[in-house]
Amino acid sequence: MAYHLGAKSRAELAGVHPDLVKVVERAIQIVTQDFGVHDGLRTDAEQAKYVAAGTSTTLDSKHLRQNDGFGHAVDLVPFINGKLRWEWPAIYPIAAAMHQAARERGVRLRWGGVWDRALSDLPGDADGLEKAVHAYVARRKRAGAKRVLTDGPHFEVLR
């Protein structure tokens, strides 16, 4: 089934780096799980609110305007039964579509499911990406992390 970006998703892409927009636009064409762009470019005030609420850990987010004038991150959330849902089983097919789209468009990305690797260095299928998340969590715990941040909907340009 072919999906498309709705008006709200397109509005969230305003101000996002054109390379990342191209990847998202390609991903929605090939994905097996519908998604919405929940967040693109954020203001400093929005980011501070997310940090205060504990849904973000940094005031130096790639969602903020970078030196080139664009935001370098998007959050792509599964759209299930008419609602955005933060559910891992539905996130993996989106990550797989972003993997393929980024490869096709020649754009290097980091995925919030596995922060310490480029998305292109991970398996390109949903099952492989799920295993990569589990391996990342295990690596971080072995390194002594008490809490491991995984943010499956988050994708950012690597420079």
Side-chain angles (χ1 to χ4, degrees), residues 23-154:
V23 173
V24 172
E25 288 173 339
R26 176 62 181 138
I28 197 69
Q29 295 172 347
I30 59 176
V31 74
T32 59
Q33 167 63 56
D34 196 9
F35 66 82
V37 182
H38 179 265
D39 245 346
L41 182 65
R42 294 179 185 158
T43 65
D44 291 338
E46 286 173 314
Q47 187 63 30
K49 183 178 119 187
Y50 284 126
V51 170
T55 56
S56 183
T57 61
T58 181
L59 292 174
D60 189 28
S61 172
K62 298 291 184 185
H63 283 281
L64 299 173
R65 194 171 307 278
Q66 303 296 300
N67 289 337
D68 62 4
F70 297 104
H72 285 200
V74 293
D75 291 338
L76 307 179
V77 179
F79 199 67
I80 302 169
N81 297 326
K83 295 183 180 179
L84 293 176
R85 303 277 194 184
W86 280 254
E87 297 178 10
W88 276 101
I91 289 169
Y92 295 119
I94 297 167
M98 286 294 286
H99 185 286
Q100 179 181 334
R103 188 180 70 247
E104 289 177 7
R105 299 296 187 252
V107 179
R108 287 183 38 84
L109 299 178
R110 176 179 295 122
W111 175 44
V114 181
W115 290 100
D116 65 351
R117 306 277 192 274
L119 182 59
S120 60
D121 294 339
L122 302 175
D125 63 291
D127 289 339
L129 289 165
E130 181 176 3
K131 289 175 185 168
V133 170
H134 294 297
Y136 168 71
V137 170
R139 276 194 308 279
R140 297 291 300 134
K141 286 184 176 180
R142 278 193 308 273
K146 295 195 186 318
R147 178 176 176 257
V148 179
L149 172 68
T150 54
D151 186 1
H154 182 88

